[in-house]
Amino acid sequence: MNIEDPCVQTAQTVLRQLPSMDKLLLDDRVAFFATELNRPTLKDACTGVLGVWREKILSGEITRFDEDLFYAEITGKLRRLTTPSLRPVLNCTGVVVHTNLGRSCLAEEAVDAAAAAGMGYSTLEYDLDKGERGQRNAHVESLLCRLTGAEAAVVVNNNAAAVLLVLAALAANKDAVVSRGELVEIGGSFRIPDIMRFAGTRLVETGCTNRTHLRDYENAITDETVMLLKVHPSNFRVVGFVTSPEREELAKLAHRRGLLLVEDLGSGILVPDEDLALEGETTVTECLRGGVDLVTFSGDKILGGPQVGAIVGKKELIDKLRRYPLLRALRCGKMTLAALEATLRMYLRGDWKKIPTLEMITASEDALHARAERFAGKIASLCAAHHLSARAIPCEDAVGGGAYPERPLSGWAVALGGTEGFNPSALQAALRACSTPVVAPVKDGELLLHMRTVRAFEEDRLAESLSEALERIS
Ligand SMILES: *Cc1c(COP(=O)(O)O)cnc(C)c1O
C-alpha cells in the first residue's frame, strides 16, 4: 500500500474514528437494547454496521465520520430486530374475514381457552375417566355433530388439508368427477386440480363453465370413479345462463352408482341462513340433509373460530379418515383445539352473535351509522388541527374470505379529507407505520375508516394511531 497517497491517508484517518466494539456496547444508545437482545446478537448487529461503514470508507463513498448518522444506522437496525413481526393491526377495510389480516378474530373465551391450554398441561390426549390415552379429536367431535347433525367429525389444520385428506384416503388412484364450473382457485394457492394431483386422485372434468347438467355427471362416471366432488365457488359467481344440478339430485345419482358425494363448502355456516341474512349461502346442516356424505369447511371463515379444516359426515367414512396415516401430519395443535371447542360451545349456548366475526357480519346499518357519527365527532378536533375534515359516509363492506362475493354489506365509514393539498396515500402509509398499525383504504381522494371491522374497544387506539400518523406527516 502506498501510504503517500492522500486518499488512503484520509480513509485511514476516518477509519480510526469508528468506535471500537467495546465502546459501542457501552454507549447508551446501544446498551438501551441490551434488555431485548442477547450479547451475541447485539455484537453481531454492531459488527454488521461497522463492516459496512469500513467498506464505504475504504471505497471513498464515506469521507467523513458522522457520529449521529452512524448511531442512527445502528439503532435503526436494533429497533428492527426488536420489533415483533406478527403483531396486531386495526382493520379499517370493512372486509370481515380478511385473509391477509388473519381472517376471524376469536371470541374472548376462545382466546382464554387457548391461553389456558398453552400455559399448562391439558387433557389433549388423555381420558380422565379411564386414566389412559384419549383422542385429541374427541374435544370437538361431539360438538360438531350436535351443531351440524353429522354422525361423525374430524378436524385438521385447515380446509385445504381437509380436502387433501378426504381425497387421499378415499379416492387415491381413482377418478373423481368435478364440474368445470367448480374448478376453483382460492387465495392464489388453493387450486382444486393441484390438490387432487397431490392426493393422487384423477380429475375428471365434466360440463361447462356456466352449465353442468346431471347427465354430464352421469356420462363422466366410469368403473374407476369413486366420488362426485362438489366445490363451493367461494370467491366468484357465474351469472346469466347458468345451471348446476341440485345437491339432492347429485346425491341420488352418486348413491345409485355406489359413489360418494363430497362437498368442499369453504365457509362453515352453522346457523340458519335467515339469522345471518346471507341469502343463498348453504349451511353445513343443509348440505348433509341434501345427502352429501362428507362436507369440508374452514374454521376461521364465517364460523368465526381458529384456523382448522373440519370434515363432517358419515361415521364409516370419518373412521377411514381417522385411520389414514396422513391425518397425523395434518393434525391441529392444542391451543387451536381449545379455541375451537370454546367457539363451538358458544353456538351450543345460542351465543353465536357474540362471536366477533358473526357480530361484525350481522351489525346493522343503523348501528354502524351511529358509530361512524360518534367516531367522526371524537376525532373532529384532532382532524381540524391538521386541516382535515372527518365525516360519516355510507360505504360497501364485505364478508370476505371467499364468502358471499357478489353481495356487499351496507356499511358506514369515517372519511378523512378536505384540504387541497391533502395526500391520502401519505396518511395511509403513515397509519401503517404506527405503533398500532392501521390498514385503511383510499377512495376518491379520501381515506376511509370502515367501522364494521373496528371493534368497539379498539376505537381509542384507532384515534391514537390517527393522531400519531397525522403528527408524522404534518
Ligand atoms: C377457503 C376455501 C378453501 C381453503 O380453505 P383454508 O381453510 O384456507 O385452507 C377451500 N375450498 C373452498 C371452497 C374455500 O372457500
Side-chain angles (χ1 to χ4, degrees), residues 99 103 156-163 182 184-187 189-192 195 230-235 263-268 296-301 306-310 401-403:
T99 296
R103 287 197 183 158
V156 290
N157 184 57
N158 57 15
N159 189 29
V163 177
E182 298 178 359
V184 305
E185 171 181 303
I186 298 186
S189 55
F190 178 87
R191 308 179 100 192
I192 286 291
I195 294 276
K230 198 170 159 50
V231 184
H232 191 266
S234 293
N235 46 9
E263 181 159 354
D264 171 13
L265 191 57
S267 251
T296 74
F297 54 94
S298 299
D300 53 353
K301 290 185 179 170
Q307 178 195 302
V308 298

Short mmCIF file of all heavy atoms in Angstrom, two decimals, residues 99 103 156-163 182 184-187 189-192 195 230-235 263-268 296-301 306-310 401-403, ligand 1:
data_model
loop_
_atom_site.label_atom_id
_atom_site.label_comp_id
_atom_site.label_asym_id
_atom_site.label_seq_id
_atom_site.Cartn_x
_atom_site.Cartn_y
_atom_site.Cartn_z
N THR A 99 -58.33 -12.34 4.80
CA THR A 99 -57.33 -13.40 4.85
C THR A 99 -55.94 -12.84 5.17
O THR A 99 -55.20 -13.42 5.97
CB THR A 99 -57.32 -14.20 3.54
OG1 THR A 99 -58.59 -14.85 3.44
CG2 THR A 99 -56.25 -15.27 3.55
N ARG A 103 -57.99 -13.41 8.99
CA ARG A 103 -59.37 -13.92 8.96
C ARG A 103 -60.16 -13.60 10.22
O ARG A 103 -60.37 -12.44 10.51
CB ARG A 103 -59.39 -15.42 8.66
CG ARG A 103 -59.03 -15.71 7.21
CD ARG A 103 -59.44 -17.13 6.82
NE ARG A 103 -59.04 -17.43 5.45
CZ ARG A 103 -58.87 -18.66 5.01
NH1 ARG A 103 -59.07 -19.70 5.79
NH2 ARG A 103 -58.52 -18.86 3.75
N VAL A 156 -58.68 -31.01 11.03
CA VAL A 156 -57.27 -30.95 10.64
C VAL A 156 -56.85 -29.48 10.55
O VAL A 156 -57.63 -28.58 10.88
CB VAL A 156 -57.01 -31.69 9.31
CG1 VAL A 156 -57.14 -33.19 9.48
CG2 VAL A 156 -57.94 -31.18 8.21
N ASN A 157 -55.63 -29.27 10.11
CA ASN A 157 -55.01 -27.94 10.13
C ASN A 157 -55.77 -26.83 9.42
O ASN A 157 -55.83 -25.70 9.88
CB ASN A 157 -53.60 -28.07 9.56
CG ASN A 157 -52.84 -26.77 9.63
OD1 ASN A 157 -52.69 -26.21 10.71
ND2 ASN A 157 -52.42 -26.28 8.50
N ASN A 158 -56.33 -27.10 8.27
CA ASN A 158 -57.15 -26.10 7.57
C ASN A 158 -58.01 -26.83 6.53
O ASN A 158 -57.92 -28.05 6.40
CB ASN A 158 -56.29 -25.00 6.92
CG ASN A 158 -55.26 -25.56 5.95
OD1 ASN A 158 -55.33 -26.71 5.55
ND2 ASN A 158 -54.31 -24.76 5.58
N ASN A 159 -58.82 -26.07 5.81
CA ASN A 159 -59.74 -26.73 4.88
C ASN A 159 -59.01 -27.36 3.70
O ASN A 159 -59.44 -28.38 3.17
CB ASN A 159 -60.79 -25.72 4.40
CG ASN A 159 -61.89 -26.38 3.61
OD1 ASN A 159 -62.21 -27.55 3.83
ND2 ASN A 159 -62.47 -25.65 2.68
N ALA A 160 -57.90 -26.75 3.27
CA ALA A 160 -57.12 -27.35 2.19
C ALA A 160 -56.65 -28.74 2.61
O ALA A 160 -56.71 -29.70 1.83
CB ALA A 160 -55.93 -26.45 1.85
N ALA A 161 -56.20 -28.86 3.86
CA ALA A 161 -55.76 -30.15 4.39
C ALA A 161 -56.94 -31.13 4.47
O ALA A 161 -56.79 -32.33 4.23
CB ALA A 161 -55.13 -29.97 5.77
N ALA A 162 -58.12 -30.59 4.80
CA ALA A 162 -59.31 -31.45 4.90
C ALA A 162 -59.63 -32.06 3.54
O ALA A 162 -59.89 -33.27 3.44
CB ALA A 162 -60.49 -30.62 5.42
N VAL A 163 -59.60 -31.24 2.49
CA VAL A 163 -59.89 -31.75 1.14
C VAL A 163 -58.82 -32.77 0.73
O VAL A 163 -59.12 -33.84 0.19
CB VAL A 163 -59.96 -30.58 0.13
CG1 VAL A 163 -60.19 -31.10 -1.28
CG2 VAL A 163 -61.07 -29.60 0.51
N GLU A 182 -66.63 -25.55 -11.30
CA GLU A 182 -66.22 -25.57 -9.89
C GLU A 182 -64.74 -25.88 -9.69
O GLU A 182 -64.30 -26.20 -8.59
CB GLU A 182 -67.07 -26.61 -9.12
CG GLU A 182 -68.55 -26.27 -9.13
CD GLU A 182 -69.41 -27.31 -8.41
OE1 GLU A 182 -68.87 -28.32 -7.92
OE2 GLU A 182 -70.64 -27.10 -8.35
N VAL A 184 -62.03 -24.39 -8.91
CA VAL A 184 -61.73 -23.06 -8.41
C VAL A 184 -60.30 -22.91 -7.88
O VAL A 184 -59.65 -23.89 -7.53
CB VAL A 184 -62.71 -22.64 -7.28
CG1 VAL A 184 -64.14 -22.76 -7.76
CG2 VAL A 184 -62.50 -23.49 -6.04
N GLU A 185 -59.88 -21.68 -7.87
CA GLU A 185 -58.64 -21.31 -7.18
C GLU A 185 -59.03 -20.35 -6.07
O GLU A 185 -59.78 -19.40 -6.31
CB GLU A 185 -57.67 -20.60 -8.12
CG GLU A 185 -56.48 -20.03 -7.37
CD GLU A 185 -55.48 -19.29 -8.24
OE1 GLU A 185 -54.97 -19.91 -9.18
OE2 GLU A 185 -55.24 -18.10 -7.96
N ILE A 186 -58.53 -20.60 -4.85
CA ILE A 186 -58.86 -19.74 -3.73
C ILE A 186 -57.60 -19.18 -3.12
O ILE A 186 -56.66 -19.91 -2.80
CB ILE A 186 -59.68 -20.53 -2.68
CG1 ILE A 186 -60.95 -20.95 -3.40
CG2 ILE A 186 -59.97 -19.68 -1.44
CD1 ILE A 186 -62.00 -21.59 -2.67
N GLY A 187 -57.55 -17.87 -3.01
CA GLY A 187 -56.42 -17.20 -2.36
C GLY A 187 -55.08 -17.44 -3.04
O GLY A 187 -54.04 -17.34 -2.42
N SER A 189 -53.47 -19.95 -3.80
CA SER A 189 -52.65 -21.11 -3.51
C SER A 189 -53.45 -22.40 -3.39
O SER A 189 -52.89 -23.48 -3.42
CB SER A 189 -51.86 -20.88 -2.22
OG SER A 189 -52.76 -20.55 -1.18
N PHE A 190 -54.75 -22.29 -3.23
CA PHE A 190 -55.58 -23.49 -3.15
C PHE A 190 -56.27 -23.67 -4.50
O PHE A 190 -57.13 -22.89 -4.88
CB PHE A 190 -56.62 -23.35 -2.05
CG PHE A 190 -57.55 -24.55 -1.96
CD1 PHE A 190 -57.22 -25.65 -1.19
CD2 PHE A 190 -58.74 -24.57 -2.67
CE1 PHE A 190 -58.07 -26.75 -1.12
CE2 PHE A 190 -59.60 -25.67 -2.61
CZ PHE A 190 -59.25 -26.76 -1.83
N ARG A 191 -55.84 -24.69 -5.24
CA ARG A 191 -56.46 -24.93 -6.54
C ARG A 191 -56.89 -26.40 -6.56
O ARG A 191 -56.10 -27.30 -6.29
CB ARG A 191 -55.46 -24.68 -7.67
CG ARG A 191 -54.81 -23.32 -7.58
CD ARG A 191 -53.81 -23.13 -8.69
NE ARG A 191 -54.40 -22.32 -9.76
CZ ARG A 191 -53.85 -22.17 -10.95
NH1 ARG A 191 -52.74 -22.80 -11.26
NH2 ARG A 191 -54.43 -21.41 -11.85
N ILE A 192 -58.15 -26.58 -6.88
CA ILE A 192 -58.72 -27.93 -6.84
C ILE A 192 -57.90 -28.92 -7.69
O ILE A 192 -57.55 -30.01 -7.19
CB ILE A 192 -60.21 -27.89 -7.26
CG1 ILE A 192 -61.04 -27.28 -6.11
CG2 ILE A 192 -60.74 -29.26 -7.62
CD1 ILE A 192 -61.14 -28.16 -4.86
N ILE A 195 -54.66 -29.86 -5.73
CA ILE A 195 -54.91 -30.68 -4.53
C ILE A 195 -55.21 -32.12 -4.95
O ILE A 195 -54.75 -33.08 -4.33
CB ILE A 195 -56.12 -30.11 -3.73
CG1 ILE A 195 -55.78 -28.74 -3.15
CG2 ILE A 195 -56.55 -31.07 -2.63
CD1 ILE A 195 -55.03 -28.74 -1.85
N LYS A 230 -68.18 -31.82 -5.17
CA LYS A 230 -68.82 -30.53 -5.39
C LYS A 230 -68.00 -29.48 -4.64
O LYS A 230 -67.64 -29.68 -3.48
CB LYS A 230 -70.25 -30.60 -4.84
CG LYS A 230 -71.17 -29.54 -5.33
CD LYS A 230 -72.61 -29.87 -4.91
CE LYS A 230 -73.45 -28.62 -4.93
NZ LYS A 230 -73.36 -27.84 -6.16
N VAL A 231 -67.66 -28.39 -5.32
CA VAL A 231 -66.83 -27.35 -4.70
C VAL A 231 -67.57 -26.02 -4.71
O VAL A 231 -68.09 -25.60 -5.76
CB VAL A 231 -65.48 -27.18 -5.44
CG1 VAL A 231 -64.59 -26.17 -4.72
CG2 VAL A 231 -64.77 -28.52 -5.57
N HIS A 232 -67.61 -25.37 -3.56
CA HIS A 232 -68.30 -24.09 -3.46
C HIS A 232 -67.49 -23.03 -4.22
O HIS A 232 -66.31 -22.84 -3.95
CB HIS A 232 -68.42 -23.70 -1.99
CG HIS A 232 -69.32 -22.54 -1.76
ND1 HIS A 232 -68.85 -21.26 -1.68
CD2 HIS A 232 -70.65 -22.46 -1.62
CE1 HIS A 232 -69.88 -20.43 -1.47
NE2 HIS A 232 -70.97 -21.15 -1.44
N PRO A 233 -68.12 -22.34 -5.18
CA PRO A 233 -67.38 -21.30 -5.91
C PRO A 233 -67.28 -20.06 -5.01
O PRO A 233 -67.95 -19.06 -5.22
CB PRO A 233 -68.25 -21.04 -7.14
CG PRO A 233 -69.62 -21.44 -6.72
CD PRO A 233 -69.51 -22.45 -5.62
N SER A 234 -66.42 -20.15 -4.01
CA SER A 234 -66.43 -19.20 -2.91
C SER A 234 -66.20 -17.75 -3.31
O SER A 234 -66.83 -16.85 -2.79
CB SER A 234 -65.36 -19.57 -1.89
OG SER A 234 -65.70 -20.77 -1.27
N ASN A 235 -65.23 -17.53 -4.20
CA ASN A 235 -64.83 -16.15 -4.42
C ASN A 235 -65.29 -15.57 -5.76
O ASN A 235 -64.77 -14.57 -6.23
CB ASN A 235 -63.31 -16.01 -4.28
CG ASN A 235 -62.59 -17.12 -5.03
OD1 ASN A 235 -63.21 -17.87 -5.78
ND2 ASN A 235 -61.30 -17.23 -4.83
N GLU A 263 -68.58 -32.64 -0.57
CA GLU A 263 -68.69 -31.22 -0.88
C GLU A 263 -67.69 -30.40 -0.09
O GLU A 263 -67.63 -30.48 1.14
CB GLU A 263 -70.12 -30.71 -0.60
CG GLU A 263 -70.28 -29.24 -0.94
CD GLU A 263 -71.72 -28.81 -1.16
OE1 GLU A 263 -72.62 -29.67 -1.15
OE2 GLU A 263 -71.94 -27.59 -1.34
N ASP A 264 -66.88 -29.61 -0.81
CA ASP A 264 -66.00 -28.63 -0.18
C ASP A 264 -66.80 -27.34 -0.10
O ASP A 264 -66.98 -26.65 -1.09
CB ASP A 264 -64.73 -28.46 -1.01
CG ASP A 264 -63.88 -27.30 -0.50
OD1 ASP A 264 -64.13 -26.82 0.61
OD2 ASP A 264 -62.95 -26.89 -1.23
N LEU A 265 -67.27 -27.05 1.12
CA LEU A 265 -68.19 -25.94 1.30
C LEU A 265 -67.50 -24.61 1.53
O LEU A 265 -68.10 -23.55 1.42
CB LEU A 265 -69.12 -26.27 2.48
CG LEU A 265 -70.33 -25.38 2.72
CD1 LEU A 265 -71.22 -25.33 1.47
CD2 LEU A 265 -71.12 -25.89 3.90
N GLY A 266 -66.22 -24.65 1.84
CA GLY A 266 -65.49 -23.39 2.07
C GLY A 266 -65.80 -22.81 3.43
O GLY A 266 -65.18 -23.17 4.42
N SER A 267 -66.78 -21.93 3.49
CA SER A 267 -67.16 -21.32 4.76
C SER A 267 -68.08 -22.25 5.53
O SER A 267 -69.03 -22.77 4.97
CB SER A 267 -67.90 -20.01 4.49
OG SER A 267 -67.09 -18.93 4.84
N GLY A 268 -67.83 -22.40 6.80
CA GLY A 268 -68.67 -23.30 7.59
C GLY A 268 -69.76 -22.52 8.30
O GLY A 268 -69.55 -22.01 9.39
N THR A 296 -66.58 -30.58 3.87
CA THR A 296 -65.40 -29.95 4.47
C THR A 296 -65.60 -28.44 4.53
O THR A 296 -66.22 -27.87 3.64
CB THR A 296 -64.11 -30.24 3.66
OG1 THR A 296 -64.12 -29.47 2.47
CG2 THR A 296 -63.98 -31.71 3.31
N PHE A 297 -65.07 -27.81 5.58
CA PHE A 297 -65.17 -26.35 5.69
C PHE A 297 -64.10 -25.78 6.62
O PHE A 297 -63.50 -26.51 7.41
CB PHE A 297 -66.58 -25.92 6.16
CG PHE A 297 -67.04 -26.56 7.45
CD1 PHE A 297 -66.85 -25.94 8.66
CD2 PHE A 297 -67.68 -27.81 7.42
CE1 PHE A 297 -67.29 -26.53 9.85
CE2 PHE A 297 -68.11 -28.41 8.60
CZ PHE A 297 -67.91 -27.76 9.81
N SER A 298 -63.86 -24.48 6.50
CA SER A 298 -62.84 -23.79 7.30
C SER A 298 -63.40 -23.39 8.65
O SER A 298 -64.58 -23.04 8.77
CB SER A 298 -62.37 -22.52 6.60
OG SER A 298 -61.80 -22.79 5.36
N GLY A 299 -62.54 -23.35 9.67
CA GLY A 299 -62.96 -22.90 10.99
C GLY A 299 -62.86 -21.40 11.15
O GLY A 299 -63.49 -20.82 12.02
N ASP A 300 -62.04 -20.74 10.33
CA ASP A 300 -61.77 -19.32 10.55
C ASP A 300 -62.43 -18.41 9.53
O ASP A 300 -62.06 -17.26 9.39
CB ASP A 300 -60.26 -19.06 10.62
CG ASP A 300 -59.51 -19.60 9.42
OD1 ASP A 300 -60.12 -20.30 8.59
OD2 ASP A 300 -58.30 -19.33 9.31
N LYS A 301 -63.40 -18.94 8.79
CA LYS A 301 -64.18 -18.06 7.92
C LYS A 301 -65.46 -17.67 8.67
O LYS A 301 -65.37 -17.17 9.78
CB LYS A 301 -64.45 -18.74 6.58
CG LYS A 301 -63.16 -18.87 5.73
CD LYS A 301 -63.45 -19.45 4.36
CE LYS A 301 -62.18 -19.55 3.53
NZ LYS A 301 -62.43 -20.33 2.30
N PRO A 306 -60.84 -20.61 15.21
CA PRO A 306 -59.44 -20.64 14.80
C PRO A 306 -59.27 -21.34 13.44
O PRO A 306 -60.22 -21.95 12.94
CB PRO A 306 -58.78 -21.47 15.90
CG PRO A 306 -59.87 -22.40 16.35
CD PRO A 306 -61.15 -21.63 16.22
N GLN A 307 -58.07 -21.27 12.90
CA GLN A 307 -57.79 -21.92 11.62
C GLN A 307 -57.83 -23.44 11.78
O GLN A 307 -56.95 -24.03 12.40
CB GLN A 307 -56.41 -21.51 11.12
CG GLN A 307 -56.04 -22.18 9.81
CD GLN A 307 -54.56 -22.08 9.51
OE1 GLN A 307 -54.02 -20.98 9.42
NE2 GLN A 307 -53.90 -23.21 9.36
N VAL A 308 -58.86 -24.05 11.24
CA VAL A 308 -58.93 -25.52 11.16
C VAL A 308 -59.69 -25.87 9.89
O VAL A 308 -60.33 -25.02 9.27
CB VAL A 308 -59.71 -26.18 12.35
CG1 VAL A 308 -59.05 -25.91 13.67
CG2 VAL A 308 -61.16 -25.75 12.37
N GLY A 309 -59.61 -27.13 9.52
CA GLY A 309 -60.46 -27.66 8.47
C GLY A 309 -61.30 -28.74 9.12
O GLY A 309 -60.75 -29.64 9.76
N ALA A 310 -62.62 -28.63 9.01
CA ALA A 310 -63.48 -29.64 9.62
C ALA A 310 -64.01 -30.55 8.52
O ALA A 310 -64.29 -30.10 7.41
CB ALA A 310 -64.64 -28.97 10.35
N GLY A 401 -63.02 -13.49 2.79
CA GLY A 401 -62.62 -14.89 2.97
C GLY A 401 -63.20 -15.79 1.90
O GLY A 401 -63.43 -16.97 2.12
N GLY A 402 -63.46 -15.22 0.75
CA GLY A 402 -64.05 -16.02 -0.31
C GLY A 402 -65.44 -16.48 0.06
O GLY A 402 -65.84 -17.60 -0.19
N ALA A 403 -66.20 -15.61 0.73
CA ALA A 403 -67.57 -15.97 1.03
C ALA A 403 -68.48 -14.87 0.52
O ALA A 403 -68.18 -13.69 0.69
CB ALA A 403 -67.75 -16.13 2.54
C1 LIG B 1 -61.42 -21.01 1.69
C2 LIG B 1 -61.66 -22.23 0.91
C3 LIG B 1 -60.71 -23.28 0.90
C4 LIG B 1 -59.41 -23.18 1.63
O1 LIG B 1 -59.63 -23.23 2.99
P1 LIG B 1 -58.43 -22.97 4.02
O2 LIG B 1 -59.07 -23.11 5.37
O3 LIG B 1 -57.92 -21.60 3.73
O4 LIG B 1 -57.40 -24.00 3.77
C5 LIG B 1 -61.01 -24.40 0.16
N1 LIG B 1 -62.16 -24.51 -0.53
C6 LIG B 1 -63.08 -23.53 -0.53
C7 LIG B 1 -64.33 -23.72 -1.33
C8 LIG B 1 -62.87 -22.36 0.19
O5 LIG B 1 -63.78 -21.37 0.18
#
